Amino acid sequence: MAKTMAVNAGSSSLKFQLLEMPAEQVIAQGVIERIGMDDAIVTIKYGAEIVAERLVGHSDDDEDHITITKDGKGKKYENVVPIKNHQQAINFMLQKLTDLGIIEDFQEITGVGHRVVAGGEWFNHSVVVTDEVLAKIDRLADYAPLHNPANAMGIRAFQKLLPDALSVAVFDTSFHQTMPDVNYLYSLPYEYYTRYGARKYGAHGTSHRYVSARAAAMLGKDLKDLKLITLHLGAGASITAIKDGKSFDTSMGFSPLAGVTMATRAGDVDPSLVYYIQEREGLTNDEMLNVLNKKSGLLGISTISSDMRDLLDVQDTNEHAKLAINIFINRVIKYVGQYVAEMNGVDAIVFTAGIGENSVPVRKMIVDKLSYFGVKLDDEKNNVRGEEVEISTSDSKVKALLIPTNEELMIARDVESLKA
Ligand code: AMP
């Protein structure tokens, strides 16, 4: 059976998932961190059965790096090695997949789908990567300077090593290209939009697309007949209003810095305050952007951690932690309220991503504040983590759903659908 790889390349890291398609079965997943360093970290998790069959003949050195995963269902390869660049990282990873018996030959991988952060107005769906597409991804680095160059680097490196595999770009922004101009335009001089593409593009589109389709399936309705609000609450967080089966509005903006409070990102801030602080603190533009991207959000307010788990642990004794949680909840509620008004109603709200999938108390705090709209939480049903389940009461007018996101699967499916 053909294997497809879903890739998320960052500036110094590369995450991947290898799936058997069209069976949609994950056979390996992993990450290479600290690319460019002498002590890059390689982690690959894979199924026990696959390895049991093929481990024979491995060097002791390899086996030393392999442990059984916590759940006992798989194996984990971990190693620290020097890796100069993305090309080396991918070469090492493919070689290791072969050594571990996960693939027999590189040729088995017939498709590679790459997450690309910015697709601008050029891409409203996933596309096969051509020279022209790659050139556009390079040009869109203006919109996502931290991400698109790394995404493009990943694409080029895979193309060199797997020249026969279909290379596909899956854009974070494309799902949101259906937003009406009323929602994607800022109230700025119109010429900035025509001249520079200054508008809202949104992000996390692949996740919102996946969970909205799952929500429709769970509710037994056609997505086109539903009004949904999807809450992707992870380290990065965004909220999307989905109407007529399409993204109608979303909380992230020109870049993924806008919207709700995030782990270290500020979310919405009055732009004049940015200049006020920048001047007083004597910060350069890059330093100020760094404050807004890396030092704000939950971390900035709490002063102790960007991780929601840490804040929940100490919220009873630490006022700043409590305040950070309260601000996070408040911003989420505000967006949900806006979107109910914009869509003139809502049928279901969907929780996903790290916080949304795992935090029982955060989901409760949010739903309890939405009772006016007719959402009622079933505390027992809500007492789960990472399962696809309805968490509202059976008489709840508006449904609340918990749906673990699966961006890798969406990427692999897009590759499949472009193979024809
Ligand atoms: P993501 O970006 O989707 O991978 O989500 C990562 C975030 O999920 C981290 O910043 C954690 O704060 C958060 N997270 C993971 N598990 C929990 C949990 N049990 N309770 C609260 N937050 C969690």
Side-chain angles (χ1 to χ4, degrees), residues 24 119 144 207 222 351:
E24 304 193 340
S207 174
D222 194 327
F351 288 92

Side-chain angles (χ1 to χ4, degrees), residues 232-236 263 306-309 312 353-355 358-359 362 385:
H232 178 111
L233 306 177
S306 62
D307 192 319
M308 183 58 92
R309 284 167 289 202
L312 289 164
I355 301 173
N358 295 301
S359 183
V362 169
R385 289 175 56 178

Side-chain angles (χ1 to χ4, degrees), residues 72-107:
K73 289 183 192 156
K75 296 213 172 190
K76 189 172 172 183
Y77 165 86
E78 275 177 302
N79 205 351
V80 176
V81 288
I83 288 183
K84 262 200 230 139
N85 52 37
H86 283 66
Q87 190 83 52
Q88 274 193 5
I90 296 162
N91 201 13
F92 185 92
M93 179 259 280
L94 291 173
Q95 196 54 55
K96 202 42 70 183
L97 291 176
T98 317
D99 293 348
L100 293 169
I102 297 162
I103 54 171
E104 276 174 19
D105 192 288
F106 288 11
Q107 305 302 320

Side-chain angles (χ1 to χ4, degrees), residues 169-195:
V170 179
F171 301 90
D172 256 27
T173 49
S174 59
F175 181 63
H176 300 301
Q177 278 297 299
T178 51
M179 282 188 290
D181 51 6
V182 166
N183 288 337
Y184 72 67
L185 280 177
Y186 292 108
S187 309
L188 289 168
Y190 193 82
E191 71 209 51
Y192 295 155
Y193 166 58
T194 45
R195 235 189 264 162

